[in-house]
């Protein structure tokens, strides 16, 4: 018994050391956000010793973080809604319907996954510019209304729903759209939840595309606003960390609430039997 | 609700040479299914077609022109942009930086992901909590983690303060070319370790227990079991993790943009940064797209080699 207990302790020791490397930067961000400017250069404690919550107010007044937040929320909502509807419809067609060029179309999607964003970003940018969508919600949202990852994720899940359920509904005279809406969508709710979380995190954290298609503070998303804040207030670590923390909170909250669905999603798309 | 599928008259579309005419069918397909599929695929393919698939083709064309992004005229210049890259010292620097970075990220992603997964693959207390903590950086934006680490590694930052407590004088991490690249590599691995661990964990839990029991009966120790059973059986997942890490590092932009801005003196200017500068700062869309294509071919080439060598790709990406 003794060696097993020792082994378990060693396992915990290594895991805790690793967890510290992960957590300390986050803790440092929190602590620094509550210090005075002088303290940020002199105080070495990793736990907060002073509690200057007003730093958050100052940071939010120094830059239009409220507007950035709103822009990110609008963009994320649009993208999540788009993925849930457009990806789901396409995924159902690939999972259940038989039509010409099905394999070819699916292969094209898989191949597109391998193409780095950089290849498509210049033409996509020119296209959006020619539509007059620079510095608009349309420019932020429309090009990302559908994505290949979501189609693959949902297709995978739809295929696991027993066909018999759908066949029974067909015999009862239900149309394909009716089957999709009344049977498949309710049964696939966990997969929709997973996709919604992935899409939200993607949209909230996205950087390069919003950087290119926004010019003004009215349309900048939180990540772009934050990176501009570094340039303007780079030496005020406390305000900078207050801004960074507020930009990070939504992702962390979503993650903590939906951790299970997220991990299940990775298992679903990562490993295929 | 009127769907075209319901409105279709049986037999209307029952043509197509050779195939027997049957009501409600197009060749071997059901008319209703084909029309429904068209309706269901249209919205997603409209978006992906315009903003992903068309740009891939358009990019191929742009890379062969001298386009600046605004001029309506695109002059065809053949492979001049690629030739110019081959003669550009900044490109070779960027390529070297990216290859060193990608190699580090790939190796360390596999080692750290597998390591954490092996530690978590046991009935220990607080397993969910550990998993949640290790995952935290993966859900945090690149901008946020880059800002935090940039200040942690400041000459008067927390890392050097800790080193000073140990009596070590810490360097100015982000002002030395190789230290900065090393820090960028570790930051990338740190951000993705939870993601890779979850991938490996799911693969570990799918491994058959019987093989391990048989090996234990034959007297194989834990280390032998790891080397002779676990690692080979995980090869498909390792392939997947490697491809992911490869794409991540060849596409790196956000992290670098905020963490080092490509500096010091180009020391961390990965291909993504170079492309951004070329296209959007210098207005050379042709040259920028050429860099993007070189990136694409490198990723595809390395993936193919990896596939052949591991012989495992098939099962991982089916």
């Amino acid at each position: 018994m003794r060696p097993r207990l020792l082994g378990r302790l060693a396992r915990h020791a290594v895991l805790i050391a690793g967890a510290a490397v992960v957590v300390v930067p986050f803790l440092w961000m929190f602590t620094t956000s509550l210090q005075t400017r002088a303290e940020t250069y002199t105080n070495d404690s990793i736990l907060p010793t002073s509690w200057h919550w007003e730093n958050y107010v100052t940071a939010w007044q120094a830059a239009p973080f409220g507007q950035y937040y709103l822009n990110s929320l609008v963009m994320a909502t649009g993208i999540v809604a788009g993925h849930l509807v457009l990806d789901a419809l396409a995924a159902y067609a690939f999972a259940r319907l038989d039509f010409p060029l099905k394999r070819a179309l699916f292969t094209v999607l898989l191949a597109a996954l391998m193409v780095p964003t950089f290849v498509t970003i210049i033409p996509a940018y020119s296209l959006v510019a020619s539509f007059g969508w620079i510095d608009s919600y349309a420019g932020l949202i429309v090009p990302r209304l559908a994505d290949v990852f979501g189609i693959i994720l949902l297709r995978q899940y739809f295929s696991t729903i027993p066909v018999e359920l759908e066949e029974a509904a067909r015999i009862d005279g239900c149309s394909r759209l009716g089957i999709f809406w009344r049977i498949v969508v309710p049964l696939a709710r966990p997969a929709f939840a997973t996709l919604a979380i992935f899409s939200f995190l993607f949209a909230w954290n996205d950087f390069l595309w919003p950087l290119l298609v926004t010019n003004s503070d009215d349309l900048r998303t939180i990540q772009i606003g934050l990176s501009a804040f570094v340039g303007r207030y780079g030496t005020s670590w406390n305000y900078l960390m207050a801004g960074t923390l507020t930009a990070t909170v939504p992702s962390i909250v979503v993650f903590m609430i939906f951790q299970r669905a997220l991990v299940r999603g990775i298992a679903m798309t990562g490993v295929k039997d | 609700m009127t769907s075209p599928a319901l409105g279709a008259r049986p037999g209307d579309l029952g043509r197509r040479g050779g195939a027997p005419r049957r009501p409600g069918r197009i060749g071997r397909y059901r008319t209703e299914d084909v029309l429904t599929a068209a309706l269901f695929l249209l919205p997603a393919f409209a978006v992906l077609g315009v903003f992903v698939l068309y740009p891939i083709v358009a990019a191929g064309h742009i890379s062969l022109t001298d386009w600046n992004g605004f001029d309506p005229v695109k002059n065809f210049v053949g492979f001049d942009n690629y030739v110019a890259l081959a003669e550009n010292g900044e490109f070779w620097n960027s390529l070297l930086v990216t290859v060193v970075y990608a190699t580090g990220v790939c190796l360390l992603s596999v080692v750290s992901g597998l390591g954490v997964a092996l530690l978590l693959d046991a009935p220990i207390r607080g397993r969910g909590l550990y998993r949640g903590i290790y995952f935290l950086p993966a859900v945090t934006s690149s901008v946020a983690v880059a800002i935090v680490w940039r200040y942690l590694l400041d000459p008067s930052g927390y890392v050097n303060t800790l080193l000073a407590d140990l009596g070590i004088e810490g360097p100015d991490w982000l002002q030395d070319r190789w230290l900065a690249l090393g820090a960028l590599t570790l930051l990338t691995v740190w951000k993705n370790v939870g993601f890779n661990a979850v991938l490996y964990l799911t693969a570990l839990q799918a491994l058959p227990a019987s093989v391990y029991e048989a090996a234990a009966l034959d007297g194989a120790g834990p280390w032998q079991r790891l080397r002779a059973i676990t690692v080979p059986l995980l090869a498909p997942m390792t392939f997947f993790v490697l491809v992911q890490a490869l794409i991540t590092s060849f596409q790196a932009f956000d992290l670098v943009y905020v963490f080092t801005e490509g500096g010091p003196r180009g020391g961390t200017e990965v291909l993504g940064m170079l492309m951004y500068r070329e296209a959007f700062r210098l207005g050379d869309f042709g040259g920028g797209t050429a860099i993007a294509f070189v990136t694409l071919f490198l990723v595809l080439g390395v993936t193919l080699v990896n596939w052949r060598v591991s012989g495992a790709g098939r099962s991982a990406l089916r």
Side-chain angles (χ1 to χ4, degrees):
Chain A
M1 277 295 111
R2 177 137 311 165
R4 285 188 68 182
L5 178 70
L6 251 161
R8 234 176 20 214
L9 281 176
R11 205 181 271 264
H12 276 293
V14 179
L15 281 169
I16 288 171
V21 176
V22 173
V23 169
V24 163
F26 286 93
L27 201 58
W28 180 83
M29 168 166 62
F30 178 63
T31 302
T32 306
S33 77
L34 294 171
Q35 292 174 339
T36 62
R37 187 144 182 262
E39 282 174 314
T40 59
Y41 291 102
T42 53
N43 193 334
D44 299 333
S45 162
I46 192 68
L47 292 170
T49 45
S50 59
W51 303 86
H52 295 279
W53 293 104
E54 70 275 9
N55 287 348
Y56 284 80
V57 181
T58 314
W60 273 59
Q61 280 165 352
F65 274 109
Q67 184 66 42
Y68 298 156
Y69 237 78
L70 179 73
N71 295 337
S72 275
L73 266 182
V74 170
M75 180 180 86
T77 310
I79 290 177
V80 170
H83 287 184
L84 288 182
V85 177
L86 274 61
D87 289 357
L89 288 172
Y92 183 76
F94 281 121
R96 279 293 189 264
L97 301 172
D98 199 18
F99 53 91
L101 296 178
K102 181 170 164 176
R103 275 185 71 97
L105 285 175
F106 199 68
T107 309
V108 167
L109 288 188
L110 287 179
L113 261 190
M114 286 293 293
V115 177
T117 335
F118 293 132
V119 174
T120 57
I121 206 142
I122 290 173
Y125 171 82
S126 317
L127 212 56
V128 164
S130 70
F131 294 165
W133 285 357
I134 297 298
D135 229 17
S136 75
Y137 284 127
L140 285 171
I141 297 170
V142 176
R144 283 102 54 79
L145 275 176
D147 84 325
V148 177
F149 169 81
I151 296 176
I152 294 170
L153 176 95
L154 292 178
R155 172 184 165 266
Q156 186 90 355
Y157 197 89
F158 291 164
S159 316
T160 63
I161 297 172
V163 188
E164 291 74 24
L165 289 173
E166 293 177 49
E167 279 166 355
R170 277 181 78 78
I171 292 167
D172 292 342
C174 202
S175 73
R176 277 288 186 188
L177 201 62
I179 292 171
F180 175 71
W181 184 245
R182 293 201 200 103
I183 297 174
V184 177
V185 169
L187 284 174
R189 226 174 267 155
F192 280 103
T194 304
L195 177 60
I197 297 153
F198 272 113
S199 300
F200 175 81
L201 289 174
F202 156 76
W204 190 267
N205 294 335
D206 195 24
F207 186 69
L208 180 56
W209 184 254
L211 177 73
L212 294 179
V213 300
T214 61
N215 300 322
S216 70
D217 272 341
D218 290 344
L219 268 304
R220 274 183 175 162
T221 61
I222 189 82
Q223 307 299 341
I224 311 304
L226 190 60
S227 84
F229 198 76
V230 179
R232 265 183 272 169
Y233 300 93
T235 53
S236 307
W237 296 15
N238 48 351
Y239 303 144
L240 187 57
M241 290 310 145
T244 308
L245 196 79
T246 40
T248 306
V249 162
S251 334
I252 293 183
V253 168
V254 165
F255 168 63
M256 291 211 287
I257 299 174
F258 299 105
Q259 197 195 133
R260 218 171 264 263
L262 195 84
V263 169
R264 189 182 48 220
I266 295 171
M268 245 158 65
T269 44
V271 217
K272 288 155 191 185
D273 47 309
Chain B
M1 218 189 299
T2 49
S3 82
L6 287 175
R9 296 277 180 291
D12 272 2
L13 295 160
R15 39 197 152 73
R16 194 169 254 219
R21 279 160 185 268
R22 269 175 299 171
R25 295 202 154 254
I26 303 174
R28 64 182 191 84
Y29 304 103
R30 275 159 73 167
T31 309
E32 190 201 344
D33 280 8
V34 175
L35 290 174
T36 314
L39 181 79
F40 278 22
L41 290 174
L42 189 66
F45 269 83
V47 172
L48 294 172
V50 172
F51 294 105
V52 179
L53 302 176
Y54 159 76
I56 294 177
V57 180
H61 175 229
I62 294 173
S63 78
L64 303 176
T65 70
D66 64 353
W67 196 35
N68 61 13
F70 303 97
D71 213 313
V73 186
K74 296 186 186 106
N75 295 312
F76 185 78
V77 295
F79 287 95
D80 282 6
N81 288 323
Y82 294 92
V83 174
L85 278 187
E87 292 165 354
N88 182 350
E90 285 183 342
F91 169 73
W92 290 106
N93 167 62
S94 185
L95 189 61
L96 173 70
V97 166
T98 310
V99 168
V100 172
Y101 171 63
T103 310
V105 170
C106 284
L107 294 178
L108 293 176
S109 293
V110 167
V111 173
S112 64
L114 182 58
V116 172
L118 286 172
L119 286 169
L120 287 177
D121 186 36
I124 52 164
R125 205 179 275 256
R127 212 164 142 242
L129 182 67
Y130 283 126
R131 196 184 58 189
I133 290 174
Y134 281 102
F135 212 86
L136 214 51
V139 299
T140 310
S141 76
S142 298
V143 176
V145 299
I147 290 176
V148 171
W149 276 100
R150 185 174 153 164
Y151 286 89
L152 283 171
L153 292 173
D154 189 272
S156 57
Y158 189 66
V159 169
N160 279 4
T161 308
L162 285 183
L163 287 177
D165 290 346
L166 298 172
I168 303 166
E169 193 192 339
D172 190 349
W173 299 92
L174 302 184
Q175 289 311 315
D176 177 276
R177 198 186 152 91
W178 297 107
L179 279 180
L181 189 55
L184 178 67
T185 307
L186 290 178
L187 171 58
T188 311
V189 175
W190 175 85
K191 189 172 189 317
N192 294 326
V193 61
F195 185 79
N196 293 325
V198 168
L199 284 175
Y200 269 122
L201 207 50
T202 44
L204 276 175
Q205 284 162 358
L207 295 185
S210 52
V211 185
Y212 287 92
E213 284 155 16
L217 281 180
D218 288 346
W223 180 244
Q224 282 171 310
R225 272 175 283 171
L226 178 68
R227 276 195 42 191
I229 305 175
T230 312
V231 171
L233 284 178
L234 287 178
M237 186 48 84
T238 301
F239 174 79
F240 187 75
V241 170
L242 280 175
V243 172
Q244 291 276 334
L246 189 70
I247 293 176
T248 308
S249 37
F250 270 83
Q251 291 215 53
F253 177 77
D254 320 5
L255 269 184
V256 192
Y257 183 90
V258 181
F259 188 53
T260 57
E261 297 164 50
R265 293 168 305 283
T268 56
E269 187 163 69
V270 289
L271 285 165
M273 284 294 291
L274 183 70
M275 192 227 65
Y276 173 78
R277 194 157 61 88
E278 194 80 16
F280 296 101
R281 293 266 167 88
L282 304 177
D284 179 5
F285 276 34
T289 318
I291 297 170
F293 268 100
V294 171
T295 310
L296 170 64
F297 291 129
L298 286 173
V299 170
L300 287 181
V302 178
T303 306
L304 205 68
V305 170
N306 182 359
W307 186 304
R308 280 282 170 78
V309 170
S310 75
R314 243 157 260 281
S315 48
L317 291 179
R318 196 184 326 140

